[in-house]
PDB file of all heavy atoms in Angstrom:
ATOM      1  N   GLY A 485    -119.772  80.563  12.249  1.00  0.00           N
ATOM      2  CA  GLY A 485    -119.238  81.704  11.728  1.00  0.00           C
ATOM      3  C   GLY A 485    -120.198  82.625  10.996  1.00  0.00           C
ATOM      4  O   GLY A 485    -121.020  82.110  10.307  1.00  0.00           O
ATOM      5  N   ASN A 486    -120.096  83.915  11.215  1.00  0.00           N
ATOM      6  CA  ASN A 486    -121.024  84.863  10.553  1.00  0.00           C
ATOM      7  C   ASN A 486    -120.089  85.855   9.759  1.00  0.00           C
ATOM      8  O   ASN A 486    -119.175  86.355  10.325  1.00  0.00           O
ATOM      9  CB  ASN A 486    -121.865  85.655  11.585  1.00  0.00           C
ATOM     10  CG  ASN A 486    -122.722  86.607  10.848  1.00  0.00           C
ATOM     11  OD1 ASN A 486    -122.383  87.711  10.512  1.00  0.00           O
ATOM     12  ND2 ASN A 486    -124.000  86.221  10.672  1.00  0.00           N
ATOM     13  N   LYS A 487    -120.439  86.050   8.464  1.00  0.00           N
ATOM     14  CA  LYS A 487    -119.639  86.875   7.610  1.00  0.00           C
ATOM     15  C   LYS A 487    -120.528  87.811   6.820  1.00  0.00           C
ATOM     16  O   LYS A 487    -121.452  87.402   6.131  1.00  0.00           O
ATOM     17  CB  LYS A 487    -118.847  86.004   6.630  1.00  0.00           C
ATOM     18  CG  LYS A 487    -118.061  86.825   5.536  1.00  0.00           C
ATOM     19  CD  LYS A 487    -116.867  87.566   6.136  1.00  0.00           C
ATOM     20  CE  LYS A 487    -116.055  88.277   5.046  1.00  0.00           C
ATOM     21  NZ  LYS A 487    -114.962  89.033   5.646  1.00  0.00           N
ATOM     22  N   LYS A 488    -120.292  89.107   6.888  1.00  0.00           N
ATOM     23  CA  LYS A 488    -120.947  90.093   6.069  1.00  0.00           C
ATOM     24  C   LYS A 488    -120.040  90.604   4.988  1.00  0.00           C
ATOM     25  O   LYS A 488    -118.919  91.089   5.222  1.00  0.00           O
ATOM     26  CB  LYS A 488    -121.417  91.293   6.929  1.00  0.00           C
ATOM     27  CG  LYS A 488    -122.472  90.943   7.915  1.00  0.00           C
ATOM     28  CD  LYS A 488    -122.898  92.155   8.716  1.00  0.00           C
ATOM     29  CE  LYS A 488    -124.019  91.775   9.744  1.00  0.00           C
ATOM     30  NZ  LYS A 488    -124.478  93.023  10.433  1.00  0.00           N
ATOM     31  N   PHE A 489    -120.444  90.379   3.741  1.00  0.00           N
ATOM     32  CA  PHE A 489    -119.701  90.757   2.584  1.00  0.00           C
ATOM     33  C   PHE A 489    -120.067  92.186   2.130  1.00  0.00           C
ATOM     34  O   PHE A 489    -121.076  92.647   2.449  1.00  0.00           O
ATOM     35  CB  PHE A 489    -119.865  89.744   1.466  1.00  0.00           C
ATOM     36  CG  PHE A 489    -119.408  88.299   1.760  1.00  0.00           C
ATOM     37  CD1 PHE A 489    -120.354  87.483   2.425  1.00  0.00           C
ATOM     38  CD2 PHE A 489    -118.142  87.849   1.620  1.00  0.00           C
ATOM     39  CE1 PHE A 489    -119.980  86.167   2.749  1.00  0.00           C
ATOM     40  CE2 PHE A 489    -117.747  86.563   1.927  1.00  0.00           C
ATOM     41  CZ  PHE A 489    -118.659  85.777   2.536  1.00  0.00           C
ATOM     42  N   SER A 490    -119.236  92.784   1.252  1.00  0.00           N
ATOM     43  CA  SER A 490    -119.427  94.117   0.847  1.00  0.00           C
ATOM     44  C   SER A 490    -120.613  94.249  -0.131  1.00  0.00           C
ATOM     45  O   SER A 490    -121.059  95.376  -0.328  1.00  0.00           O
ATOM     46  CB  SER A 490    -118.139  94.687   0.248  1.00  0.00           C
ATOM     47  OG  SER A 490    -117.700  93.856  -0.859  1.00  0.00           O
ATOM     48  N   ASN A 491    -120.939  93.164  -0.753  1.00  0.00           N
ATOM     49  CA  ASN A 491    -122.010  93.230  -1.770  1.00  0.00           C
ATOM     50  C   ASN A 491    -123.374  92.909  -1.207  1.00  0.00           C
ATOM     51  O   ASN A 491    -124.247  92.306  -1.876  1.00  0.00           O
ATOM     52  CB  ASN A 491    -121.701  92.298  -2.924  1.00  0.00           C
ATOM     53  CG  ASN A 491    -121.523  90.884  -2.456  1.00  0.00           C
ATOM     54  OD1 ASN A 491    -121.485  90.590  -1.236  1.00  0.00           O
ATOM     55  ND2 ASN A 491    -121.424  89.886  -3.363  1.00  0.00           N
ATOM     56  N   ASN A 492    -123.650  93.224   0.107  1.00  0.00           N
ATOM     57  CA  ASN A 492    -124.911  92.974   0.823  1.00  0.00           C
ATOM     58  C   ASN A 492    -125.226  91.457   0.913  1.00  0.00           C
ATOM     59  O   ASN A 492    -126.426  91.144   1.035  1.00  0.00           O
ATOM     60  CB  ASN A 492    -126.082  93.699   0.005  1.00  0.00           C
ATOM     61  CG  ASN A 492    -125.916  95.173   0.074  1.00  0.00           C
ATOM     62  OD1 ASN A 492    -125.505  95.691   1.042  1.00  0.00           O
ATOM     63  ND2 ASN A 492    -126.228  95.824  -1.030  1.00  0.00           N
ATOM     64  N   LEU A 493    -124.242  90.679   0.915  1.00  0.00           N
ATOM     65  CA  LEU A 493    -124.363  89.254   1.171  1.00  0.00           C
ATOM     66  C   LEU A 493    -123.947  88.872   2.593  1.00  0.00           C
ATOM     67  O   LEU A 493    -122.861  89.358   3.064  1.00  0.00           O
ATOM     68  CB  LEU A 493    -123.540  88.420   0.162  1.00  0.00           C
ATOM     69  CG  LEU A 493    -123.589  86.920   0.260  1.00  0.00           C
ATOM     70  CD1 LEU A 493    -124.988  86.361  -0.036  1.00  0.00           C
ATOM     71  CD2 LEU A 493    -122.539  86.271  -0.652  1.00  0.00           C
ATOM     72  N   GLU A 494    -124.758  88.150   3.364  1.00  0.00           N
ATOM     73  CA  GLU A 494    -124.385  87.715   4.696  1.00  0.00           C
ATOM     74  C   GLU A 494    -124.584  86.246   4.802  1.00  0.00           C
ATOM     75  O   GLU A 494    -125.546  85.698   4.324  1.00  0.00           O
ATOM     76  CB  GLU A 494    -125.239  88.434   5.701  1.00  0.00           C
ATOM     77  CG  GLU A 494    -124.906  88.041   7.214  1.00  0.00           C
ATOM     78  CD  GLU A 494    -125.755  88.755   8.210  1.00  0.00           C
ATOM     79  OE1 GLU A 494    -126.584  89.633   7.787  1.00  0.00           O
ATOM     80  OE2 GLU A 494    -125.584  88.522   9.381  1.00  0.00           O
ATOM     81  N   SER A 495    -123.655  85.541   5.519  1.00  0.00           N
ATOM     82  CA  SER A 495    -123.711  84.088   5.628  1.00  0.00           C
ATOM     83  C   SER A 495    -123.531  83.782   7.092  1.00  0.00           C
ATOM     84  O   SER A 495    -122.714  84.427   7.800  1.00  0.00           O
ATOM     85  CB  SER A 495    -122.755  83.330   4.773  1.00  0.00           C
ATOM     86  OG  SER A 495    -121.464  83.641   5.159  1.00  0.00           O
ATOM     87  N   GLN A 496    -124.186  82.688   7.567  1.00  0.00           N
ATOM     88  CA  GLN A 496    -124.028  82.155   8.885  1.00  0.00           C
ATOM     89  C   GLN A 496    -124.001  80.654   8.873  1.00  0.00           C
ATOM     90  O   GLN A 496    -124.968  79.997   8.419  1.00  0.00           O
ATOM     91  CB  GLN A 496    -125.198  82.628   9.834  1.00  0.00           C
ATOM     92  CG  GLN A 496    -125.030  82.189  11.297  1.00  0.00           C
ATOM     93  CD  GLN A 496    -126.268  82.604  12.073  1.00  0.00           C
ATOM     94  OE1 GLN A 496    -127.264  82.023  11.964  1.00  0.00           O
ATOM     95  NE2 GLN A 496    -126.122  83.667  12.829  1.00  0.00           N
ATOM     96  N   VAL A 497    -122.877  80.043   9.095  1.00  0.00           N
ATOM     97  CA  VAL A 497    -122.730  78.631   8.956  1.00  0.00           C
ATOM     98  C   VAL A 497    -122.157  78.035  10.295  1.00  0.00           C
ATOM     99  O   VAL A 497    -121.316  78.622  10.955  1.00  0.00           O
ATOM    100  CB  VAL A 497    -121.653  78.259   7.817  1.00  0.00           C
ATOM    101  CG1 VAL A 497    -121.516  76.775   7.692  1.00  0.00           C
ATOM    102  CG2 VAL A 497    -122.084  78.927   6.515  1.00  0.00           C
ATOM    103  N   GLY A 498    -122.770  76.863  10.619  1.00  0.00           N
ATOM    104  CA  GLY A 498    -122.319  76.270  11.861  1.00  0.00           C
ATOM    105  C   GLY A 498    -122.510  74.812  11.940  1.00  0.00           C
ATOM    106  O   GLY A 498    -123.175  74.225  11.107  1.00  0.00           O
ATOM    107  N   LEU A 499    -121.842  74.125  12.919  1.00  0.00           N
ATOM    108  CA  LEU A 499    -121.857  72.703  13.121  1.00  0.00           C
ATOM    109  C   LEU A 499    -121.927  72.440  14.584  1.00  0.00           C
ATOM    110  O   LEU A 499    -121.108  72.916  15.366  1.00  0.00           O
ATOM    111  CB  LEU A 499    -120.750  71.992  12.420  1.00  0.00           C
ATOM    112  CG  LEU A 499    -120.720  70.483  12.680  1.00  0.00           C
ATOM    113  CD1 LEU A 499    -121.954  69.842  11.934  1.00  0.00           C
ATOM    114  CD2 LEU A 499    -119.403  69.873  12.197  1.00  0.00           C
TER     115      LEU A 499
END
Side-chain angles (χ1 to χ4, degrees):
N486 181 278
K487 174 70 174 179
K488 293 184 179 180
F489 299 89
S490 58
N491 59 350
N492 296 322
L493 179 67
E494 181 179 359
S495 65
Q496 184 184 74
V497 181
L499 177 65

